[in-house]
Every structure is written in structure tokens, then in C-alpha cells.
Amino acid sequence: MQAILDDIYTTMMSRTDRGQVANYIPQLACVNPDQFAITVALPDGQVFSAGCAETLFSIQSISKVFTLTIALGKLGDAVWSRVGREPSGDPFNSIVQLEHENGKPRNPFINAGAIAVVDAIMMGHQPRETLGEILQFVRFLANDESIGIDEKVAQSELTTGDRNAALAHFMAAYGRMKHPVDQVLGTYFHQCAISMSCQQLAKAGMFLVSDGVNKHTGVRVVSAQRARRINSLMLMCGHYDGSGEFAFRVGLPGKSGVGGGILAVAPGKASIAVWSPGLDRIGNSKLGTEALEMLVQRTGWSIFGH
Ligand code: DON
């Protein structure tokens, strides 16, 4: 495995077309696009990495996997009255479907869906308490108390988040928000601003590899059925309107973020985190996707076969 990751690292470092860093969040536009990291965590406890796998980056939309997991824990199937579970085929920040579908987001991973999910888990609490809960959950998943929030990234998004504010107010107009919009948005921007390294992220994804049990800690996080369902949503919706392309090229449940990270799950086999800040035109990590494509070619881990 180490030899495979070293090969992937060398190949990715030689690439000249590295995509574009997200520029609609000013703080993310400052990140050096030359960085690349990958970590593979196996159920037997082994962890392999190449590149700057301890460097912290903004997990952005990858946080939506964790908030969905919390929401399912708190509300169970009632989550599906707030968000759907179909691919959107539209960009992550699109407002178009919301009007046609009465303010109910297609799935929990597009921005509107994630805003609805965080509104659902607030349950009358203050943003600070909900954020504490989200952070605590991510620390528990990764078994790492050092994980925190990059306040600069959160503020950067707060001051430029008109698009998300529009989505949230639009849903509120349909009576779909249970808390004040500014509180929900503040919580959402902070959840997206959680900073993690590839090593931490791969460990946090372990519970999705072995039927809901994190084999590194021996703790059951969710039922086998719930883990399977979260994986299916990641496969179908985790890369927005690029989910089909990602399934075609990589063939694993995966969730991307505009910070350039991707968490991918090879059920029964591995939790994989990759990071490279440059994005493709849809907003998914360009080299991250290429690296995962190379990894599945070498390991045969695609869920669709060799
Ligand atoms: O709300 C936003 O636009 C960002 N905080 C998160 C978007 C994102 O990560 C989309 N991912 N590829």
C-alpha cells in the first residue's frame, strides 16, 4: 500500500494542471494549490499516507456527512421529511430546484439540504451548543480531541455567503426553517470551516467502512443499515452534478468539499482521504479525483468490480 501511495504522490506532484482553488470564499483562495496528500486507513488499524497528510485544510462540504449522521441519530427517518435523497444534477449552490419542489432540497449534501439538516439538528439550541455537538462528534469519530474550527474561514464565508443566505431565506419562505436564518447560517458556515488533516479525516470515515463500527476504536457509531444508506447517498449525491462522473471514474461512495478534500469509502476495505486544493469546474478536487482513480485501478476497490 505504501508503494502505491508513493506512486500516486509522485504522479500528482508532477501534474501541471491542478485546477482552480475556490475563490468565492476569500480565505480559501489564499491556499497554496501545490499541496497534495492522501491517507488510507484500513480496518486492521494500519494507516498509510503520502504527501502532507498532517496538514490541516478546510473540510467544507465533507462536514455534511457528519451532520447528516447526527441528524439521522436524532430524528431517524423524519430527516426525510426535511430533505430528499435523490441526486440533484445541479450545482451544489443551485436554487432552481427549490422553487419547483416547494422549498424541499433534493438531498442532504447540496448546500440547501445541508442548511436544512443543520436547522433540524439545532432543536431549539443555540448555534454554539450545536457547533459544540458537531465538533464533539467529529472528534469522537476521528478519536482526536485536537480537531477545531478555522474561525477565519468561517468569517470569510459569513461575509460572502449571500448565495447560502438566499437558499436559507427561500426555504424559510416555505415555512421550512425552525430557527432564525442567521443562526442557522452561522452554524452552517462554522461546520464547513472545521479543519482536518487527511489522517484525521480518513480515521473519521472508518465507521462507514465496517457496517457502522469504527474498527480502530471498536465502537459502533451507527447501525449497519444506516452506514449502508449514508454510503449510498455519498455515491449518488456526494459530488453534486459530478456524482455520475465520480462513480464512473472512481466507483466509491465519496464526499467532496471546496477546500479540495474528498472522503471516499471502500466498504469493507478502507477509508480514504485525499486533499489537493485545486478544483474542477464543478467544484470537486481535480487531483483528488485523479488520485482516487489511480488508487482504485491499483487496488481493484471500486464497488463496481475490477
Ligand atoms: O456553502 C458553501 O458554499 C461551502 N461552505 C461548502 C460548499 C462545498 O464544499 C461544495 N463542495 N464541493
Side-chain angles (χ1 to χ4, degrees):
M1 180 53 63
Q2 191 60 52
I4 295 175
L5 298 191
D6 290 341
D7 272 1
I8 292 173
Y9 173 75
T10 310
T11 309
M12 294 308 138
M13 289 315 276
S14 70
R15 290 276 201 271
T16 47
D17 181 2
R18 309 180 74 84
Q20 297 286 322
V21 294
N23 52 16
Y24 75 100
I25 302 174
Q27 199 64 28
L28 294 183
C30 311
V31 178
N32 173 4
D34 294 337
Q35 303 176 89
F36 175 83
I38 183 165
T39 295
V40 173
L42 304 180
D44 67 4
Q46 294 190 84
V47 178
F48 299 91
S49 295
C52 50
E54 290 181 39
T55 301
L56 301 179
F57 61 90
S58 192
I59 67 167
Q60 291 296 319
S61 288
I62 302 169
S63 65
K64 297 169 182 176
V65 175
F66 307 132
T67 49
L68 171 66
T69 307
I70 294 172
L72 287 167
K74 287 188 164 199
L75 286 87
D77 280 343
V79 167
W80 308 120
S81 67
R82 304 291 307 268
V83 292
R85 42 178 196 256
E86 291 292 345
S88 68
D90 276 324
F92 62 87
N93 55 6
S94 174
I95 202 166
V96 174
Q97 263 163 5
L98 272 183
E99 181 155 28
H100 289 299
E101 297 174 6
N102 302 317
K104 181 177 177 180
R106 267 288 169 94
N107 68 63
F109 294 152
I110 51 175
N111 287 3
I115 291 167
V117 164
V118 77
D119 178 56
I121 63 180
M122 283 177 77
M123 294 182 140
H125 293 284
Q126 292 300 311
R128 187 179 294 276
E129 294 171 275
T130 304
L131 267 176
E133 187 179 2
I134 296 169
L135 206 47
Q136 210 43 53
F137 184 61
V138 175
R139 288 172 175 167
F140 157 72
L141 289 179
N143 197 21
D144 189 332
E145 290 298 313
S146 72
I147 295 167
I149 291 173
D150 185 332
E151 192 58 40
K152 277 193 187 150
V153 173
Q155 290 306 325
S156 181
E157 212 178 340
L158 256 171
T159 51
T160 56
D162 291 326
R163 187 115 181 184
N164 284 319
L167 295 171
H169 283 290
F170 200 73
M171 290 188 284
Y174 283 93
R176 289 187 170 271
M177 301 294 276
K178 295 199 168 21
H179 303 86
V181 163
D182 59 331
Q183 290 189 12
V184 178
L185 285 171
T187 312
Y188 169 75
F189 292 140
H190 280 81
Q191 97 180 40
C192 290
I194 293 174
S195 283
M196 290 171 83
S197 66
C198 276
Q199 287 192 0
Q200 290 169 331
L201 193 56
K203 289 179 188 169
M206 279 310 296
F207 78 105
L208 294 170
V209 175
S210 304
D211 299 326
V213 176
N214 179 338
K215 285 276 180 76
H216 287 194
T217 56
V219 177
R220 172 168 295 284
V221 178
V222 294
S223 67
Q225 182 196 55
R226 185 158 293 164
R228 193 182 76 227
R229 288 176 166 178
I230 294 168
N231 281 335
S232 82
L233 282 157
M234 289 171 71
L235 181 81
M236 301 305 294
C237 316
H239 284 70
Y240 316 106
D241 45 343
S243 298
E245 179 74 6
F246 187 79
F248 182 84
R249 289 170 60 187
V250 177
L252 295 175
K255 183 74 210 77
S256 65
V258 285
I262 302 174
L263 172 63
V265 178
K269 302 198 171 70
S271 170
I272 308 144
V274 282
W275 173 56
S276 182
L279 308 177
D280 62 20
R281 62 178 178 80
I282 287 171
N284 302 315
S285 175
K286 184 169 191 302
L287 295 192
T289 309
E290 286 176 23
L292 287 169
E293 198 173 9
M294 204 169 151
L295 181 70
V296 295
Q297 271 161 10
R298 297 281 290 268
T299 55
W301 281 347
S302 163
I303 62 169
F304 300 108
H306 291 253

